Amino acid sequence: MIHISDLRASVGDKEILKGISLDVGAGEIHAIMGPNGSGKSTLAQVLAGHPGYEVTSGSVIYQGKDLLDMEPEERAQAGVFLAFQYPVEIPGVSNAYFLRTAYNEVRKARGEPEADPLEFLDIVADRLKLVDLDEAMLQRSVNAGFSGGEKKRNEILQLAVLDPALAILDETDSGLDIDALRTVADGVNKLRRQDNAFLVVTHYQRLLNYIVPDRVHVLVDGRIARSGGKELALELEARGYDWITAEQGVGA
Amino acid sequence: MSSEIELLVNKDYQYGFSTDIEADQLPPGLDEGVVRAISARKNEPEWMLDWRLKAFRRWQQMTEPHWSNVKYPKIDYQAISYYSAPRSAKPLASLDELDPKIRETYDKLGIPLQEQKLLAGVAVDAVFDSVSVGTTYKAELKKHGVIFCSFAEAVREYPELVRRYLGSVVPYSDNFFAALNSAVFSDGSFVYVPKGVRCPMELSTYFRINAADTGQFERTLIVADEGAYVSYLEGCTAPKRSTNQLHAAVVELVALDRATVKYSTVQNWYAGDEHGVGGIYNFVTKRGKAFAGSRISWTQVETGSAITWKYPSVILQGDNSTGEFYSVAVVNNHQQADTGTKMIHIGRNTKSNIVSKGISAGQGNNSYRGQVKVMPKAEGARNYTQCDSMLIGNRCGAHTFPYVEVQNNTAIVEHEASTSKIGEDQIFYCKQRGLSGEQAVSMIVSGFCREVFKELPMEFALEAQQLLGITLEGSVG
């Protein structure tokens, strides 16, 4: 699905990703964990093509294509989805219209016919149930005045509607209470298939109780310090991150 | 990133062509002789000439106002030609006699003049430089008693109505530009809707400046008699020229008891190029007088002109009258806009509602200037003002100048203001969902303008949407 090799990226003069290599295959869920400031969110943003980061070296091959050579919207149209840690508000634009426009852009890129508003309503009604959101929220402005939990569930609704091949969840669990966390995780689990993959960025292990990863990678200071199976997440939960940072010799 | 956004909002001006047509044009310069010459060319009655001359003499004693937040080189009023008419513009027996070149111009602009081809329910008066070249649907309107014709025709055919209402809302002495207009106005539109009649279609005037180095000084007078309803649309374009051209119009609206007048404008005069060369100086006085229980509603989408100086206002004369102002003003490159409204509450229980959306891009400078005045007898007056600014890029400006004067302590006046920026993060969010940068900006801007666009009649909503390069579906979705 995606093959990341020695990826380095900076903001201004500051290097944040210092050589990340990672392979995620179809049907897999990988968790990216790590202390604050380790570069987890940067990795997510760089893969999505955020213009604030400069990729200085390395390569990312996604479904055989050079991902770094693609515009953010081309990546999205090709099936790369980022669930934002801080979803952006767009006042005056209805959620329904925003979602339908996005959906149709992705359809167009795939050479599929666009959905008219009525067809789209059927598609989205089905997906709303997945994240336990009310149809009324379709008429509200995109994320404007949403609670933290509603914003995160709205991200997962978008994910469910756009049906990407590679979904990157950036701290989707932050700010969620336990019920909302379970709802979001259930939604993700229902979307799991053999032909898609998830990259789950999280600080805490608790999300991984519900979304069980195939692999766990721990990021420390812009590098993958350790990789392992799901039990690595449990170990981190028990011991914290200090022992890994100590092993790395970069200090706590 | 911000330069990318700027590129996206920078669309080529597609109405910048000019029509090569023989014109009857007065030489540049302004004196009493010019005022008399204009009046003579229009075969005006004595009273009309007298009014013009009074205005001209008043104008000579006035000085150009400079309190607005715009900068421009001194205007040489003697370098402007005050009258230009297509040579063939004689009264036409039917629109078929219209010069094909002029018809072609309007076709290019997307304004159909042939009645049989008209879009459903819009009657059009087309003003080309100084004269009206054709009014459609006149016969159909007449059946309902609605008068819709050029101003010149109204002076000839309906002198009582014109004399009664001309200057009743904007006197010739009102301000420098209104006085100038009153002296030299060449044409414009006149509307009268009789008592209790709901005008059966949207009325529309399309103003086109064609000739170089001329000013356009049109005058519009709309009278809705008791209980009448009319919705009127105004559109404007001009060729791209490297010199500045002056446009000083006056619009007067009269809503008698329980009448409703809705006036919508999509102003897209040539704005000048990206270096600020050329473009229209748009100095316009628009005002309505609302009698008891009536409603006057201004909606404007201002995207053109190098300079816009414009404050569509309502004098809430009668008890229980309502004034509304919905505005989107966009400036880009070196455009400057100083626009807003005045709501003068005189009658009891009068209400006014102001929604202003200013969008600034490039090095554009956008000012909202609004006055809310509650007079001593305006018991129970209410005003709500919402004034939002959006900035695109780092070199533009947005300013708000609210003036509130309340002389009755039962009045409730509210003012809310906000400033936002189209951020990199908003654009990136949209792109991450598969939208192009252009779609993203369109969507964000249209969302910002939603409250104003929903006030526009459908036909104009479409034009406004194209103008801003944005899609309106968002406000419907």
Side-chain angles (χ1 to χ4, degrees):
Chain A
M1 182 69 71
I2 191 163
H3 177 75
I4 303 169
S5 150
D6 193 33
L7 181 66
R8 289 168 181 270
S10 329
V11 174
D13 293 336
K14 192 174 190 308
E15 185 169 59
I16 299 181
L17 300 184
K18 300 175 179 175
I20 303 260
S21 297
L22 180 64
D23 277 297
V24 181
E28 293 178 358
I29 293 185
H30 287 222
I32 306 286
M33 301 185 71
N36 291 329
S38 59
K40 304 188 297 287
S41 282
T42 299
L43 176 62
Q45 300 272 357
V46 165
L47 293 179
H50 194 289
Y53 300 91
E54 193 195 345
V55 174
T56 48
S57 71
S59 70
V60 179
I61 303 302
Y62 165 74
Q63 294 185 332
K65 284 173 288 199
D66 179 358
L67 190 72
L68 299 177
D69 200 33
M70 295 160 79
E71 292 296 319
E73 62 269 35
E74 292 170 337
R75 301 182 196 198
Q77 289 161 9
V80 175
F81 180 95
L82 172 64
F84 283 67
Q85 181 177 6
Y86 303 108
V88 173
E89 300 186 4
I90 311 177
V93 176
S94 78
N95 231 348
Y97 178 66
F98 180 72
L99 257 176
R100 181 160 59 85
T101 306
Y103 180 75
N104 281 335
E105 285 309 308
V106 172
R107 301 263 297 187
K108 259 195 282 181
R110 290 181 190 159
E112 292 167 11
E114 297 179 43
D116 67 36
L118 283 177
E119 289 167 349
F120 183 72
L121 215 57
D122 285 343
I123 295 161
V124 81
D126 178 57
R127 302 282 148 167
L128 277 166
K129 284 182 231 146
L130 208 66
V131 283
D132 193 27
L133 278 171
D134 192 77
E135 208 166 304
M137 65 86 67
L138 292 175
Q139 300 313 321
R140 290 164 64 184
S141 293
V142 178
N143 292 324
F146 282 30
S147 71
E150 281 176 325
K151 284 184 184 176
K152 294 299 176 73
R153 277 189 285 168
N154 197 25
E155 292 294 290
I156 303 305
L157 172 66
Q158 294 181 17
L159 190 159
V161 168
L162 298 177
D163 191 22
L166 175 66
I168 305 161
L169 311 186
D170 187 7
E171 309 240 3
T172 298
D173 50 332
S174 68
L176 289 186
D177 62 33
I178 194 69
D179 291 329
L181 184 77
R182 206 174 277 155
T183 307
V184 163
D186 283 352
V188 169
N189 286 327
K190 283 178 196 148
L191 294 169
R192 275 190 89 159
R193 287 197 312 261
Q194 277 313 304
D195 62 349
N196 63 15
F198 289 81
L199 201 55
V200 181
V201 175
T202 180
H203 187 78
Y204 299 104
Q205 189 271 338
R206 63 170 194 167
L207 178 67
L208 305 179
N209 287 334
Y210 303 98
I211 303 174
V212 180
D214 299 292
R215 299 286 292 165
V216 176
H217 311 277
V218 183
L219 232 62
V220 176
D221 192 31
R223 294 184 187 87
I224 293 180
R226 185 174 285 248
S227 295
K230 59 181 183 238
E231 64 287 347
L232 178 58
L234 293 168
E235 195 174 353
L236 288 169
E237 177 81 348
R239 298 176 61 187
Y241 287 111
D242 288 355
W243 61 281
I244 296 185
T245 52
E247 273 180 16
Q248 286 292 299
V250 291
Chain B
M1 187 65 191
S2 63
S3 65
E4 181 188 351
I5 301 172
E6 280 166 29
L7 276 179
L8 294 171
V9 294
N10 256 318
K11 298 244 171 157
D12 255 5
Y13 187 68
Q14 49 176 319
Y15 308 103
F17 64 91
S18 62
T19 309
D20 187 12
I21 194 155
E22 218 185 312
D24 169 21
Q25 187 164 335
L26 286 177
L30 181 55
D31 56 20
E32 226 175 87
V34 167
V35 177
R36 286 177 189 278
I38 292 169
S39 186
R41 269 177 171 69
K42 309 192 90 64
N43 296 316
E44 284 177 352
E46 194 75 25
W47 61 265
M48 192 70 253
L49 174 62
D50 286 348
W51 198 76
R52 286 179 183 275
L53 289 172
K54 272 193 268 180
F56 179 68
R57 287 170 197 145
R58 187 77 183 84
W59 178 75
Q60 283 179 305
Q61 296 159 8
M62 297 169 107
T63 49
E64 195 185 294
H66 288 286
W67 43 260
S68 62
N69 188 26
V70 296
K71 292 190 192 78
Y72 54 93
K74 202 168 159 47
I75 298 172
D76 180 357
Y77 291 91
Q78 297 303 331
I80 297 169
S81 165
Y82 289 83
Y83 186 82
S84 173
R87 185 71 77 183
S88 58
K90 299 183 188 77
L92 305 175
S94 86
L95 280 173
D96 297 335
E97 294 175 15
L98 185 62
D99 187 313
K101 275 188 182 165
I102 294 179
R103 170 162 298 160
E104 207 178 290
T105 303
Y106 281 95
D107 283 347
K108 269 200 217 171
L109 295 168
I111 312 301
L113 291 180
Q114 276 166 291
E115 296 183 29
Q116 58 272 30
K117 281 198 209 154
L118 272 183
L119 293 165
V122 183
V124 182
D125 184 20
V127 176
F128 194 86
D129 287 339
S130 296
V131 294
S132 168
V133 292
T135 308
T136 62
Y137 269 133
K138 216 183 258 183
E140 168 70 16
L141 288 166
K142 212 157 192 179
K143 270 193 252 166
H144 298 268
V146 175
I147 300 168
F148 178 39
C149 63
S150 73
F151 206 93
E153 189 182 336
V155 170
R156 288 194 303 270
E157 305 290 326
Y158 311 100
E160 309 77 30
L161 281 173
V162 175
R163 287 186 82 165
R164 185 157 166 199
Y165 293 107
L166 176 69
S168 70
V169 186
V170 181
Y172 62 75
S173 56
D174 190 78
N175 68 70
F176 181 83
F177 296 108
L180 177 63
N181 172 286
S182 302
V184 302
F185 77 87
S186 35
D187 215 333
S189 297
F190 175 77
V191 176
Y192 173 77
V193 186
K195 267 184 199 174
V197 171
R198 190 181 169 91
C199 185
M201 60 186 79
E202 304 274 354
L203 303 182
S204 173
T205 297
Y206 203 89
F207 294 103
R208 173 75 177 169
I209 296 178
N210 186 62
D213 301 320
T214 58
Q216 180 152 324
F217 305 92
E218 82 273 0
R219 191 145 190 130
T220 300
L221 174 56
I222 297 175
V223 180
D225 213 325
E226 291 171 17
Y229 171 94
V230 62
S231 171
Y232 182 92
L233 330 171
E234 172 202 287
C236 336
T237 59
K240 280 187 183 181
R241 297 194 189 278
S242 58
T243 50
N244 296 108
Q245 284 179 282
L246 179 62
H247 173 253
V250 171
V251 176
E252 294 179 276
L253 309 182
V254 179
L256 295 176
D257 292 0
R258 300 175 313 283
T260 298
V261 179
K262 255 182 93 74
Y263 192 104
S264 311
T265 305
V266 173
Q267 184 267 108
N268 188 26
W269 297 118
Y270 178 51
D273 67 10
E274 66 272 29
H275 307 296
V277 175
I280 302 290
Y281 290 167
N282 191 32
F283 298 101
V284 172
T285 305
K286 290 182 166 178
R287 195 176 302 151
K289 198 181 258 186
F291 290 89
S294 68
R295 176 172 157 240
I296 290 179
S297 181
W298 298 101
T299 305
Q300 61 172 22
V301 177
E302 303 281 319
T303 62
S305 296
I307 293 175
T308 297
W309 180 97
K310 181 180 169 188
Y311 315 90
S313 305
V314 183
I315 301 169
L316 296 152
Q317 179 85 47
D319 295 349
N320 305 305
S321 56
T322 303
E324 293 167 315
F325 175 72
Y326 302 100
S327 170
V328 167
V330 187
V331 293
N332 195 8
N333 296 321
H334 293 265
Q335 278 178 281
Q336 308 173 65
D338 193 303
T339 184
T341 184
K342 286 191 275 186
M343 294 290 176
I344 314 295
H345 293 255
I346 298 171
R348 283 174 298 166
N349 299 317
T350 44
K351 287 191 202 69
S352 62
N353 193 23
I354 299 170
V355 179
S356 163
K357 303 278 181 176
I359 300 160
S360 315
Q363 288 168 260
N365 212 0
N366 212 336
S367 300
Y368 167 81
R369 190 181 300 277
Q371 183 182 36
V372 176
K373 193 168 184 175
V374 178
M375 304 300 276
K377 289 186 177 150
E379 291 285 320
R382 286 218 56 165
N383 160 263
Y384 174 73
T385 300
Q386 184 192 335
C387 187
D388 299 323
S389 306
M390 177 174 269
L391 301 172
I392 303 176
N394 295 321
R395 291 175 301 157
C396 53
H399 315 269
T400 304
F401 303 98
Y403 305 85
V404 179
E405 192 185 328
V406 179
Q407 299 175 20
N408 183 304
N409 59 15
T410 63
I412 301 173
V413 176
E414 292 172 79
H415 182 99
E416 283 182 30
S418 77
T419 303
S420 58
K421 233 181 136 161
I422 290 198
E424 203 173 274
D425 284 339
Q426 271 179 320
I427 306 263
F428 178 62
Y429 187 71
C430 294
K431 283 185 164 186
Q432 215 303 305
R433 297 300 181 252
L435 278 65
S436 68
E438 190 163 40
Q439 279 176 308
V441 171
S442 289
M443 192 177 264
I444 295 162
V445 171
S446 84
F448 178 69
C449 300
R450 179 182 186 169
E451 287 156 282
V452 174
F453 282 156
K454 72 176 193 218
E455 296 297 327
L456 282 174
M458 190 59 88
E459 297 79 11
F460 258 28
L462 293 174
E463 191 175 338
Q465 154 195 335
Q466 287 166 354
L467 270 184
L468 295 180
I470 63 176
T471 164
L472 250 187
E473 264 184 291
S475 59
V476 190

